[in-house]
């Protein structure tokens, strides 16, 4: 169902972008109007996710099929197609870089909510240094004090943490058991599907009773009228049940889930991150790593639970200085 105040924001974002307004200006305007995303200013990644979400055009894809009767249309098709073309032509961050930043588009600031972007500088000896830096701080959108962190340091923390966590059999066993429980509970708590099935059973029973009454000499005219009403509702319910079941993903086995993570560990670093990492939240002294899950709770839902937590102590060389500064990072992992 459409939430009017949210839909108005979505339409505004689409209309502004289709008119040629830059995303950073859209964000600034939204902030000036007091419109925020979960209490914090919108970030570019969030805006682009909205601009690429086909459901706003009334389209939902599932298992290779296209449905146009699941989501009500918020954005006119013409505007959506125009925006999609512009997004594809002006993809954020499409310019080539000298260095491949593995975590780009996956990381945001834990304090102000802005994306953490790539940055670089030159050391006193002329050596080029690369960093991850809060966009809110870099562009002076706010007074965020989140400190930049060296590219190689942060990427090492993330990659080492992934490999260590998922190489631990006890951790993987715990992940598998928890995801199996989530699947089982979700199957039991699909209230809409259960109500539809219950109503269809009641309708089937009513049709059977009418047929029995007619066979026993009951009033044919009244009974047949009611029979047609029930049969029409029976057909509607059958379609609704099929549609609701399509929203419920096929349940995975324990081996399916385990193989998902085993396969990921065999990938190259960039593919590994794209495959497994949903989001990274960066603070001064800690990093939250949110993982993807092979279990789809539903088309619009996700759940999370903490499955691991550990601390990493690293010595980070400060630019323009000869000594080393020891920084303790607490790395927390969450499975989504």
């Amino acid at each position: 169902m459409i939430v009017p105040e949210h839909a108005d924001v979505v339409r505004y974002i689409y209309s502004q972008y289709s008119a040629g307004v830059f995303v950073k200006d859209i964000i600034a305007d939204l902030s000036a109007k007091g419109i925020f995303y979960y209490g914090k200013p919108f970030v570019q990644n969030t805006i682009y996710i909205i601009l690429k979400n086909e459901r706003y055009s009334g389209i939902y894809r599932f298992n290779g099929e296209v449905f146009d009767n699941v989501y009500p249309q918020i954005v006119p098709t013409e505007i959506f197609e125009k925006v999609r073309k512009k997004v594809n032509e002006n993809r954020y961050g499409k310019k080539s870089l000298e260095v491949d930043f593995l975590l780009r588009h996956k990381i945001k600031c834990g304090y102000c909510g802005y994306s953490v972007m790539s940055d670089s500088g030159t050391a006193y000896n002329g050596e080029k240094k690369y960093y991850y830096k809060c966009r809110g701080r870099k562009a002076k959108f706010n007074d965020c004090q989140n400190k930049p962190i060296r590219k190689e340091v942060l990427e090492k923390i993330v990659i080492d943490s992934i490999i260590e966590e998922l190489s631990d059999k006890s951790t993987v066993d715990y992940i598998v058991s928890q995801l199996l429980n989530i699947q089982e509970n979700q199957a039991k708590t699909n209230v809409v599907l259960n109500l539809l099935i219950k109503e269809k059973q009641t309708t089937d029973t009513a049709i059977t009773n009418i047929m029995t009454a007619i066979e026993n000499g009951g009033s044919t005219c009244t009974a047949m009228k009611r029979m047609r009403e029930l049969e029409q509702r029976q057909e509607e319910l059958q379609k609704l049940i099929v549609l609701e079941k399509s929203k419920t993903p096929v349940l995975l086995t324990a081996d399916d889930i385990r193989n998902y993570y085993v396969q990921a560990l065999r990938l190259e670093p960039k593919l590994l991150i794209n495959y497994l990492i949903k989001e990274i939240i960066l603070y001064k002294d800690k990093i939250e790593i949110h993982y993807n899950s092979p279990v789809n709770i539903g088309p619009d839902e996700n759940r999370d639970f903490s499955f691991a937590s550990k601390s990493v102590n690293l010595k980070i060389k400060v630019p323009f200085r000869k000594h080393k500064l020891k920084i303790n990072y607490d790395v927390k992992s969450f499975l989504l």
Side-chain angles (χ1 to χ4, degrees):
M1 295 178 64
I2 292 178
V3 180
E5 57 270 27
H6 294 177
D8 288 342
V9 175
V10 171
R11 293 189 189 100
Y12 176 78
I13 291 172
Y14 270 84
S15 65
Q16 291 295 293
Y17 189 83
S18 66
V21 179
F22 292 116
V23 169
K24 63 181 180 64
D25 295 327
I26 294 175
I27 293 173
D29 196 28
L30 289 172
S31 298
K33 295 176 184 292
I35 300 173
F36 300 100
Y37 186 74
Y38 292 105
K40 295 182 179 180
F42 280 84
V43 296
Q44 290 207 13
N45 281 352
T46 302
I47 296 294
Y48 278 101
I49 288 173
I50 292 173
L51 292 173
K52 292 187 288 186
N53 193 337
E54 198 172 25
R55 296 172 189 172
Y56 292 131
S57 69
I59 297 297
Y60 173 56
R61 299 178 188 275
F62 182 82
N63 283 347
E65 295 186 60
V66 178
F67 298 88
D68 59 7
N69 60 345
V70 177
Y71 295 100
Q73 186 171 16
I74 293 176
V75 179
T77 303
E78 182 180 353
I79 293 180
F80 181 83
E81 292 299 334
K82 181 179 179 181
V83 165
R84 177 155 62 178
K85 183 178 179 181
K86 286 175 66 70
V87 168
N88 290 336
E89 291 176 350
N90 306 300
R91 193 163 291 142
Y92 176 61
K94 69 176 182 178
K95 294 181 180 179
S96 60
L97 296 173
E98 299 174 10
V99 178
D100 190 9
F101 282 77
L102 302 181
L103 307 180
R104 293 183 77 226
H105 311 306
K106 293 282 188 179
I107 183 169
K108 73 177 183 180
C109 177
Y111 298 109
C112 68
Y114 275 98
S115 59
V116 173
M117 59 189 297
S118 57
D119 197 10
S120 63
T122 304
Y124 67 94
N125 60 359
E127 182 183 358
K128 195 83 168 179
K129 304 290 185 180
Y130 298 95
Y131 308 90
Y132 285 99
K133 186 174 184 178
C134 170
R135 184 171 182 274
R137 172 172 176 156
K138 180 178 175 63
K140 297 181 179 180
F141 290 144
N142 51 50
D143 59 352
C144 183
Q145 298 300 307
N146 206 352
K147 296 181 178 180
I149 180 172
R150 288 279 293 274
K151 169 188 179 296
E152 62 270 21
V153 171
L154 182 57
E155 291 177 357
K156 176 176 171 54
I157 292 174
V158 172
I159 293 172
D160 287 353
S161 296
I162 294 173
I163 293 173
E164 184 174 341
E165 302 286 7
L166 298 181
S167 296
D168 186 332
K169 184 179 182 301
S170 63
T171 299
V172 176
D173 288 343
Y174 177 70
I175 294 172
V176 171
S177 65
Q178 291 295 313
L179 290 178
L180 289 175
N181 287 336
I182 287 177
Q183 285 192 138
E184 183 179 354
N185 291 335
Q186 178 64 18
K188 293 178 181 178
T189 57
N190 191 331
V191 178
V192 174
L193 179 59
N194 291 337
L195 288 175
L196 289 171
I197 291 174
K198 186 175 180 179
E199 184 182 350
K200 184 176 181 299
Q201 291 173 344
T202 302
T203 303
D204 292 343
T205 300
I207 291 174
T208 301
N209 291 340
I210 291 176
M211 289 294 296
T212 302
I214 293 174
E215 291 172 356
N216 292 333
S219 176
T220 306
C221 182
T222 303
M224 289 303 297
K225 180 180 179 182
R226 179 57 179 159
M227 173 81 78
R228 285 192 292 271
E229 292 174 353
L230 289 171
E231 287 177 339
Q232 183 177 357
R233 180 55 180 165
Q234 184 186 50
E235 184 177 351
E236 291 174 355
L237 287 169
Q238 185 60 46
K239 292 179 180 178
L240 290 172
I241 288 172
V242 171
L243 185 59
E244 192 63 31
K245 284 183 176 180
S246 73
K247 300 178 184 180
T248 304
V250 177
L251 298 184
L252 301 178
T253 66
D255 285 341
D256 291 333
I257 298 171
R258 198 180 306 276
N259 289 337
Y260 174 84
Y261 295 105
V262 170
Q263 178 181 349
L265 293 178
R266 297 172 182 163
L267 300 174
E268 294 294 326
K270 187 171 182 62
L271 293 176
L272 171 68
I273 289 169
N274 288 337
Y275 189 68
L276 278 184
I277 300 301
K278 180 180 180 67
E279 187 177 54
I280 299 169
I281 314 295
L282 179 65
Y283 297 87
K284 290 181 182 179
D285 58 349
K286 70 178 181 180
I287 300 165
E288 291 181 2
I289 302 175
H290 294 239
Y291 291 78
N292 287 320
S293 162
V295 175
N296 293 318
I297 303 305
D300 291 316
E301 293 183 78
N302 58 45
R303 296 182 181 177
D304 65 277
F305 57 89
S306 173
F307 76 83
S309 177
K310 69 187 182 65
S311 296
V312 177
N313 297 325
L314 291 173
K315 287 184 177 181
I316 303 174
K317 187 176 181 180
V318 180
F320 313 110
R321 297 180 187 174
K322 295 182 180 180
H323 66 277
K324 290 185 177 181
L325 174 67
K326 185 176 181 181
I327 297 179
N328 296 328
Y329 274 100
D330 180 39
V331 182
K332 293 186 177 180
S333 299
F334 301 88
L335 183 65
L336 294 185

